[in-house]
Amino acid sequence: MESEKPLFRKILQKARESILNFDSNEAESAVREAVDAGMDPVDLIELGFIEGMKEMGDRYEKGDVPLLHIFAASRIMERGVSLLKSCANENKLELKLFGNIAMNS
C-alpha cells in the first residue's frame, strides 16, 4: 500500500493534523503534496482526513471538545476534499465521490 512510504506517511499525518488543528492551509498543503507525490487520493481522504475526523469524534464522545469543533473540523475536511477534486480534474484523474465514499478508478 502506498501509505507505507515515509513521504506518504508524512502527508497523511499532515492531513490528519489539519483536521485536529482546524488548519485549512495545512489541509491544502497536504493535498498539494499528495498530488505532487502521486499519492492515491482515496488514501489521502481515508487515511488522512477521515482519520482526523474519527479522532475528533472520539474527543467529542469523551467530552474533551464541544460539538462546534466537529463542525469546524468537517469544514476543513470539506475544503481539503474540494481542492483534491479540483486537482484531480486538472490532472485528469478519475476521482468519484459518492456521499462518504471515494473511489479512484
Side-chain angles (χ1 to χ4, degrees):
M1 171 179 268
E2 291 181 1
S3 63
E4 299 303 314
K5 296 180 181 179
L7 174 61
F8 289 2
R9 282 195 306 268
K10 178 182 155 273
I11 295 168
L12 293 173
Q13 182 68 20
K14 181 182 266 192
R16 182 183 147 278
E17 288 177 3
S18 73
I19 300 299
L20 299 174
N21 297 326
F22 315 108
D23 189 336
S24 61
N25 291 330
E26 190 174 23
E28 291 173 4
S29 175
V31 168
R32 293 188 194 286
E33 288 179 28
V35 169
D36 290 346
M39 178 183 269
D40 185 340
V42 175
D43 284 347
L44 180 65
I45 293 169
E46 291 180 352
L47 303 174
F49 292 131
I50 291 177
E51 285 301 314
M53 288 301 299
K54 285 180 186 176
E55 187 170 334
M56 187 62 68
D58 290 345
R59 290 179 183 182
Y60 172 74
E61 286 180 5
K62 291 178 186 174
D64 294 339
V65 298
L67 183 59
L68 184 60
H69 285 191
I70 300 293
F71 294 127
S74 70
R75 295 294 301 200
I76 301 303
M77 181 172 164
E78 187 178 300
R79 290 186 77 182
V81 171
S82 178
L83 177 61
L84 185 58
K85 288 189 326 191
S86 294
C87 290
N89 288 338
E90 289 172 11
N91 293 311
K92 299 186 179 16
L93 299 174
E94 290 188 39
L95 178 63
K96 297 176 182 159
L97 298 172
F98 304 99
N100 293 333
I101 300 171
M103 294 175 43
N104 183 14
S105 52

